[in-house]
Amino acid sequence: MKQFINEKETVVTDAIDGIVGSSGGLLTKLDGFPHIKVVVRTDWDKSKVALVSGGGSGHEPAHAGFVGQGMLTAAVCGDVFASPSLDAVLAGILAVTGKAGCLLIVKNYTGDRLNFGLAAERARAFGLKVNMVIVDDDAALPHLFQQRGLAGALFVHKIAGALVEAGENLESVTAAAQRVIDSAATIGMSLDTCSIPGSPKDDRIALGKAELGLGIHGESGVEQVIYTNARDAMAMVVDKLAAIITDGPNVVLLNNLGGTTDLEMEVLANELLSSKISKQFQYIIGPARLMTSLDMRGFSVSLLPVKDSDILALNTSCAPSAWPGLRAVQSTELIPLPDGLKPVLPLATGHPSRRELIERCCNIFIASTADLNALDAKSGDGDTGSTLATASRALIGSLDRLPLADMTQLYRAIGLELSQTMGGSSGILLAIFFAAAGDASSSGRGIIGALNAGLERVQEVGGAQVGDRTLIDALRPALDALPEGIAAAASAARLGANFTATIVQAKAGRATYISPDQLRGHNDPGAEAVARLFEQLV
Amino acid sequence: MKQFINEKETVVTDAIDGIVGSSGGLLTKLDGFPHIKVVVRTDWDKSKVALVSGGGSGHEPAHAGFVGQGMLTAAVCGDVFASPSLDAVLAGILAVTGKAGCLLIVKNYTGDRLNFGLAAERARAFGLKVNMVIVDDDAALPHLFQQRGLAGALFVHKIAGALVEAGENLESVTAAAQRVIDSAATIGMSLDTCSIPGSPKDDRIALGKAELGLGIHGESGVEQVIYTNARDAMAMVVDKLAAIITDGPNVVLLNNLGGTTDLEMEVLANELLSSKISKQFQYIIGPARLMTSLDMRGFSVSLLPVKDSDILALNTSCAPSAWPGLRAVQSTELIPLPDGLKPVLPLATGHPSRRELIERCCNIFIASTADLNALDAKSGDGDTGSTLATASRALIGSLDRLPLADMTQLYRAIGLELSQTMGGSSGILLAIFFAAAGDASSSGRGIIGALNAGLERVQEVGGAQVGDRTLIDALRPALDALPEGIAAAASAARLGANFTATIVQAKAGRATYISPDQLRGHNDPGAEAVARLFEQLV
């Protein structure tokens, strides 16, 4: 079983306990488990019209996820894809209905119609005012009388919920709900069927096919079509809606049928927003999971022509966090790319002694190429020496264009050169080192201070510490000793570099993947390079 | 391809256009597509500290879905599971950072650390104040130095975002973010790997196995474990957290890794809320999709010990609808089942003429058993006659306990008897008929009015109209003619019943599935039963 459930029989009651328990005290349930599964708002005093919906489970967050201030008063939950019982519906109605009455919002499935319908009769026999509306927004089956109830139910829940909050009476809320139902239309499409807990999966949709005109219970779509890509898929759905779209203004609701990733849903949103009906709708809800079919890898688009009062009702805030809000479709201005992405090198300036020092350092690395490569071969791909030598030659070649006379500018320019010639993580880390040193230099710190700032930043970004078997094991003690002179720094660097031969569990860099036996007795090549640099500068 | 994308190369840019286009004008992007993919708040004036996060795509709604007032200022998006480029990060920083500075919130992956780190250096060279924190909340790898950044990043985004809104300065926001990072811990588990666009799926997790200690890039978990059910799965995750949980108060965050259904997530929430650490956390965020790994069928639990100021920051409202809010863990009182679920039959009363009429009607149906069964065999399972006869016999048997003297009570009692003895849709529809008739009778309507009310309600609940080839085709004209006498009603019923033999496309009930040739020339059995009833009552 590739599902996080305990057993098929308890999946819905377990889930209801989860949603109630994580509701922050906003939801509770009727004391009728497991037969009667009704989720109810705790902040309900029966002074307003109650809104009760529900049906089979497997459509989460519908319906319990939409119980709360501004939407439903109660959700009556059946087992997965099965209508709740008459008793459950009646219990839900009786629990939340006061003098203002109750509107049942029922999707057009026989079991739901009959159980909610008879429950309504029973409740009326108690003197309660109970109305019922049947949501049948399915636009895929125009030739059949009984169109299914799909994600368009959310328009009804939200608009009726807002009217209830505003204190409208039962007749007014019912009339608005019926008007929304009469004008809502939904078309769905899926690339795969859903996995019903405890049942084998029906793999009827072949690769390269999709089903168009989809319900929410895993039943076959009205037609199988060729699936090529998101653009063509949305175009097929939009074609169906284009045939019935009215002047509007219109709202579209983009619903995830459950198993489509959010990345794909955003791609589909983009296709909808650039489709041939994109100029005919002014508002969008989603993309979001609203009326799902377990893990079905599909989506649906619902359409509703709206009046100003509908927009207001869809736009008011409400408690259920599953409601994604209404957004006006409007283009936003692009933000121009900022200046400074391509750094401009400062003018070259001369400084003979610095020039000579840089050349000396570079030549030390170049002379160590073979030794460093050999060391690196013990724990990596054997190219530390070559990489350093290449970068060193490139730096020597760039000396004529470097701002040698200005230390701050020089650090930054060296960093830029290295990031462009070295590549990989080492290049970026050295670029960070010199950029940070330049920063420190510009704040008035001297050479040692600048180098320390560079090392600190490299440690922060790269995450390595002393003892992790990296060049830091040589550079950190060298910089610490540098105030006492270059000879002291060289000694400290050598001690540090040699110590790396005893570190057999690397904690950063490539050597983390190497076994202790391969590491023991060999200096880290980066630390060795640092030690040689200081030793030969003495 | 079972994914709604156009092509692998454009999936992220298409998705960003979708999220910007459906944002209601709250989001826009930098003008650097496709290389530079940066999503930015439109309501940003650089007066406060900028919060910039990002990384590879495939983690939706992270990161672009959390851009907005109270959370991130900008999200820098890489391709799927790939770090964004240095240029993209730098462009993002430069576009949103003013004098108050910028905090980079980076998850602990080498590519992200280096690119965000060097971009920070470059931005500092422009004189901008830029800090960076590294989120490493992965608690599955305590022995390794570099712990991954997982869903715990959301704690940082929300708390830092709230502090920014409150006007805190860069140092204060950075310190709070670092404190959250130092104490957050996350463990993930999955039953399956994820499907990376354009790549074959790695089916390495066998049925009956799960991976524990999971990252968010499809890499193998730290260990494979036996998977039995949701309870044991959550217990394994909780075991890891129990080892590190502190006195708290604590917040848990239950994250969907992408492909788990909301039904399953609610089951998992219930298991977490009843787990052995359930007394040690006081707040819960989710279950929700926050930091996903495409369609990975898994979840993660993140843990954060919190101070009062953190609770306040997690609890403040924010613009991104993907943020599910913080909820206090508290038990709610069950609502007792309402009275009235088991209707009490009123006291039996006598009324000889009504008793005789009911017996007569019942006997008419009983006498028609064979004929009605034969008609039903043309379009159904051949049991209409038997079903009516069984119900008729049961009704005759109940006459001694019916309240025959009170019409209102009698209608309701007959409805109750029929719903209990007939079963199925017919039983519920007849129960609705008589319950509605009882209601009408209680409001003072006479027999014809009551019967009309019953029929109207049956039509509303059942959805059938005249012409749909149901018993309504006989009953509607019969009731219309009834004011002129029973003979007129009988004639009208007969005409209506016979007309059903010409209706070859049923629109309601079982006959919708039958071909026209099978229906032509045969009366609907329900309509025929009604016609016989009225004819024989004449």
Side-chain angles (χ1 to χ4, degrees), chain B residues 23-179:
Chain B
S23 72
L26 292 175
L27 301 178
T28 185
K29 61 181 184 183
L30 294 195
D31 186 11
F33 259 29
H35 178 51
I36 290 176
K37 298 181 276 287
V38 180
V39 175
V40 184
R41 289 172 57 175
T42 52
D43 58 345
W44 183 248
D45 63 4
K46 300 190 185 181
S47 63
K48 293 176 175 170
V49 175
L51 292 180
V52 176
S53 189
S57 294
H59 306 301
E60 294 67 30
H63 299 85
F66 294 115
V67 174
Q69 178 267 322
M71 290 188 78
L72 300 178
T73 315
V76 186
C77 307
D79 282 327
V80 172
F81 294 171
S83 174
S85 70
L86 165 64
D87 281 359
V89 181
L90 180 57
I93 298 169
L94 296 179
V96 298
T97 305
K99 285 184 180 165
C102 175
L103 175 63
L104 303 179
I105 303 170
V106 180
K107 291 190 299 310
N108 194 16
Y109 301 99
T110 304
D112 288 341
R113 290 182 75 133
L114 297 181
N115 285 306
F116 279 81
L118 182 52
E121 292 304 334
R122 293 272 161 87
R124 287 178 191 123
F126 287 99
L128 296 176
K129 290 193 292 179
V130 182
N131 284 353
M132 180 163 103
V133 290
I134 308 288
V135 182
D136 57 352
D137 54 315
D138 185 1
L141 301 168
H143 59 294
L144 278 191
F145 180 75
Q146 299 241 16
Q147 300 176 344
R148 297 167 292 197
L150 302 173
L154 270 298
F155 291 135
V156 187
H157 296 173
K158 183 66 179 72
I159 290 175
L163 295 181
V164 163
E165 274 301 302
E168 299 273 345
N169 66 22
L170 179 62
E171 289 64 37
S172 160
V173 175
T174 305
Q178 189 59 53
R179 181 177 51 75

Side-chain angles (χ1 to χ4, degrees), chain A residues 255-506:
Chain A
N255 175 51
N256 187 335
L257 282 169
T260 312
T261 62
D262 287 10
L263 185 70
E264 293 165 87
M265 289 306 299
E266 289 163 7
V267 170
L268 288 167
N270 185 44
E271 295 305 334
L272 179 58
L273 289 163
S274 49
S275 70
K276 71 178 182 186
I277 61 167
S278 63
K279 298 284 175 265
Q280 292 169 274
F281 60 83
Q282 291 72 35
Y283 300 90
I284 186 167
I285 296 166
R289 282 169 181 78
L290 297 161
M291 184 71 72
T292 64
S293 181
L294 293 168
D295 61 350
M296 182 161 276
R297 206 175 259 277
F299 69 96
S300 65
V301 181
S302 303
L303 183 66
L304 183 72
V306 281
K307 307 194 298 183
D308 286 350
S309 59
D310 297 324
I311 296 168
L312 189 66
L314 289 169
N315 209 21
T316 52
S317 67
C318 59
S321 63
W323 176 254
L326 179 78
R327 309 281 188 206
V329 175
Q330 57 184 94
S331 58
T332 49
E333 279 188 36
L334 292 187
I335 297 182
L337 274 188
D339 292 334
L341 292 184
K342 297 296 170 217
V344 183
L345 266 188
L347 287 181
T349 51
H351 193 292
S353 67
R354 279 184 201 149
R355 183 183 182 108
E356 192 233 358
L357 176 65
I358 293 171
E359 282 178 329
R360 229 177 119 195
C361 292
C362 288
N363 284 322
I364 291 169
F365 289 133
I366 292 169
S368 306
T369 305
D371 291 353
L372 295 175
N373 278 348
L375 270 182
D376 189 35
K378 306 293 183 186
S379 62
D381 48 6
D383 67 354
T384 298
S386 302
T387 303
L388 271 175
T390 303
S392 298
R393 286 194 191 93
L395 196 56
I396 291 172
S398 73
L399 284 169
D400 285 342
R401 28 175 223 277
L402 291 184
L404 293 166
D406 180 326
M407 278 305 289
T408 292
Q409 292 190 358
L410 180 58
Y411 284 125
R412 289 173 175 163
I414 290 174
L416 198 59
E417 282 293 326
L418 290 175
S419 74
Q420 287 168 349
T421 55
M422 266 186 87
S425 300
S426 320
I428 296 188
L429 283 170
L430 281 175
I432 288 171
F433 181 94
F434 285 102
D439 251 27
S441 171
S442 79
S443 332
R445 294 174 73 176
I447 289 181
I448 296 177
L451 296 178
N452 269 308
L455 179 57
E456 280 157 20
R457 194 72 81 187
V458 163
Q459 289 194 245
E460 178 194 318
V461 173
Q465 305 298 325
V466 168
D468 287 352
R469 196 185 161 100
T470 68
L471 64 79
I472 293 166
D473 289 323
L475 187 54
R476 179 74 273 161
L479 293 186
D480 288 344
L482 198 51
E484 302 157 39
I486 192 78
S491 298
R494 172 49 59 200
L495 273 174
N498 289 353
F499 180 69
T500 60
T502 70
I503 303 172
V504 294
Q505 175 61 66

Side-chain angles (χ1 to χ4, degrees), chain A residues 2-4 6 28 87 113 121 145 191 205 227 264 271 295 297 333 342 457 460-461 463, chain B residues 2-4 6 28 87 113 121 145 191 205 227 264 271 295 297 333 342 457 460-461 463:
Chain A
K2 290 268 184 196
Q3 290 175 326
F4 288 108
N6 291 313
T28 185
D87 281 359
R113 290 182 76 133
E121 292 304 335
F145 180 75
L191 299 180
I205 309 181
Y227 173 70
E264 293 165 87
E271 295 305 334
D295 61 350
R297 206 175 259 277
E333 279 188 36
K342 297 296 170 217
R457 194 72 81 187
E460 178 194 318
V461 173
Chain B
K2 290 267 183 197
Q3 291 176 326
F4 288 107
N6 291 313
T28 185
D87 281 359
R113 290 182 75 133
E121 292 304 334
F145 180 75
L191 299 180
I205 309 181
Y227 173 71
E264 293 164 87
E271 295 305 334
D295 61 349
R297 207 175 259 277
E333 279 187 36
K342 296 297 169 217
R457 194 72 81 187
E460 178 193 318
V461 173

